[in-house]
Amino acid sequence: MSQKIVVGYDGSDSAKAALAFAVDQAKTQGSSIVVAHILEWSPYSFLTPTEIEERHKRRGEELDRAEAAILAPAVAGLQDSGLAIETALKYGNIATTLGDIAKESGADQIVIGRNGEPGLSSRVFGSVAISLAQSAPVPVTIVP
């Protein structure tokens, strides 16, 4: 049975460290990798038809920009790795959506980078790493 690792990737230094860790793991275990980028999008409940149309257009532009600026360079950098690489680009809550991608792809593990500073906002609102560790359907590795 082939293993699969989902890597939460946003192009940051911590995401690059997580991807490097996942590549090493995948080579050792014979796994494939899903490089996943999540765009957070908060829903608005009261929009006019014109606002809905503009918002839909902006979403498409954001997806295209994220694909070109974040996912494509990451995949290009893995071209010579010898690994099977997939991508996932979705909107939603980062922790929840990474868990969904892991389920949908049949992944065995999620790898993310530790990002951000420990501070009041992360203690009050929580962090992606904490939320994911509590809710993920598969083991989560947090790379410093």
Side-chain angles (χ1 to χ4, degrees):
M1 183 170 136
S2 177
Q3 295 186 342
K4 193 173 285 192
I5 301 170
V6 171
V7 182
Y9 190 82
D10 63 5
S12 66
D13 288 341
S14 63
K16 289 175 183 175
L19 185 57
F21 176 86
V23 166
D24 288 344
Q25 289 291 108
K27 286 180 178 180
T28 301
Q29 301 169 354
S31 302
S32 62
I33 293 180
V34 178
V35 182
H37 181 68
I38 313 303
L39 295 165
E40 286 196 285
W41 191 270
S42 59
Y44 297 100
S45 28
F46 302 107
L47 295 175
T48 67
T50 303
E51 290 170 326
I52 291 171
E53 185 178 321
E54 289 173 5
R55 188 167 194 226
H56 182 69
K57 181 181 174 189
R58 281 194 320 269
R59 277 182 88 162
E61 291 169 353
E62 256 188 55
L63 287 168
D64 291 343
R65 195 168 41 248
E67 176 67 38
I70 296 171
L71 288 179
V75 171
L78 298 174
Q79 192 171 21
D80 295 331
S81 69
L83 298 171
I85 307 294
E86 300 172 42
T87 62
L89 177 58
K90 295 190 176 197
Y91 274 99
N93 172 279
I94 295 171
T96 303
T97 306
L98 282 173
D100 292 344
I101 291 168
K103 277 191 238 176
E104 292 164 8
S105 67
D108 304 288
Q109 180 182 15
I110 299 171
V111 176
I112 60 169
R114 184 184 65 197
N115 199 7
E117 300 294 321
L120 182 60
S121 64
S122 67
R123 286 194 299 261
V124 173
F125 301 111
S127 70
V128 170
I130 291 169
S131 297
L132 189 57
Q134 292 174 337
S135 65
V138 296
V140 175
T141 301
I142 302 167
V143 178

